[in-house]
């Protein structure tokens, strides 16, 4: 069950089109990790939010893609925030659910 809607780290410009996707947290753990990463990497997290809100299903070379390997059938996607930080999310219709926010490189993908 979604914990709450994900706020944009910086205010959206007044002339911006409405977001195409609603972004929500899966749980309070994802929310807390998101908030910490916003404090550490606000600009990168704003880019992540913009991508999830407007182009969540599009791939960006080396920045955003579906997970592969044992995660390939899970429907999870990954947005690379920084060298080791990742946001894993799932898209269902027009809702993007932030599943987990990794503040360090996720060991399960090595």
């Amino acid at each position: 069950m979604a914990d709450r809607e994900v706020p944009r780290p910086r205010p959206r410009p007044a002339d911006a089109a409405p977001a195409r996707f609603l972004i929500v947290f899966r749980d309070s753990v994802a929310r807390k990790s998101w908030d910490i990463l916003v404090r550490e990497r606000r600009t990168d997290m704003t880019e992540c939010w913009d991508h999830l809100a407007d182009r969540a299903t599009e791939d960006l070379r080396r920045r955003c893609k579906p997970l592969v390997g044992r995660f390939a059938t899970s429907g999870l996607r990954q947005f690379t925030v920084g060298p080791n930080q990742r946001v894993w999310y799932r898209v269902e219709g027009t809702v993007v659910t932030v599943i987990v926010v990794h503040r360090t490189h996720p060991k399960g993908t090595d």
Side-chain angles (χ1 to χ4, degrees):
M1 173 175 259
D3 187 52
R4 69 177 172 104
E5 187 173 345
V6 178
R8 187 173 190 267
R10 290 197 169 113
R12 196 154 165 109
D15 61 345
R20 200 172 138 212
F21 296 94
L22 170 68
I23 310 169
V24 296
F25 293 112
R26 178 181 71 173
D27 55 28
S28 63
V29 174
R31 179 186 51 80
K32 288 175 187 173
S33 293
W34 176 280
D35 291 343
I36 291 168
L37 208 49
V38 164
R39 285 193 298 273
E40 295 172 357
R41 304 185 69 91
R42 184 172 304 272
T43 299
D44 294 325
M45 291 301 286
T46 301
E47 287 179 33
C48 177
W49 190 96
D50 288 343
H51 181 81
L52 298 183
D54 299 321
R55 301 173 309 282
T57 57
E58 293 178 22
D59 296 346
L60 295 175
R61 237 172 66 205
R62 287 191 244 168
R63 190 96 197 246
C64 184
K65 60 189 175 191
L67 290 175
V68 295
R70 66 185 171 119
F71 298 103
T73 60
S74 67
L76 288 177
R77 297 182 58 82
Q78 169 179 280
F79 187 92
T80 301
V81 176
N84 296 308
Q85 299 82 13
R86 311 287 190 265
V87 173
W88 287 7
Y89 66 95
R90 179 175 288 122
V91 180
E92 297 174 282
T94 60
V95 177
V96 172
T97 303
V98 174
I99 304 298
V100 65
V101 178
H102 295 281
R103 294 175 17 233
T104 61
H105 191 280
K107 300 299 181 206
T109 60
D110 290 339

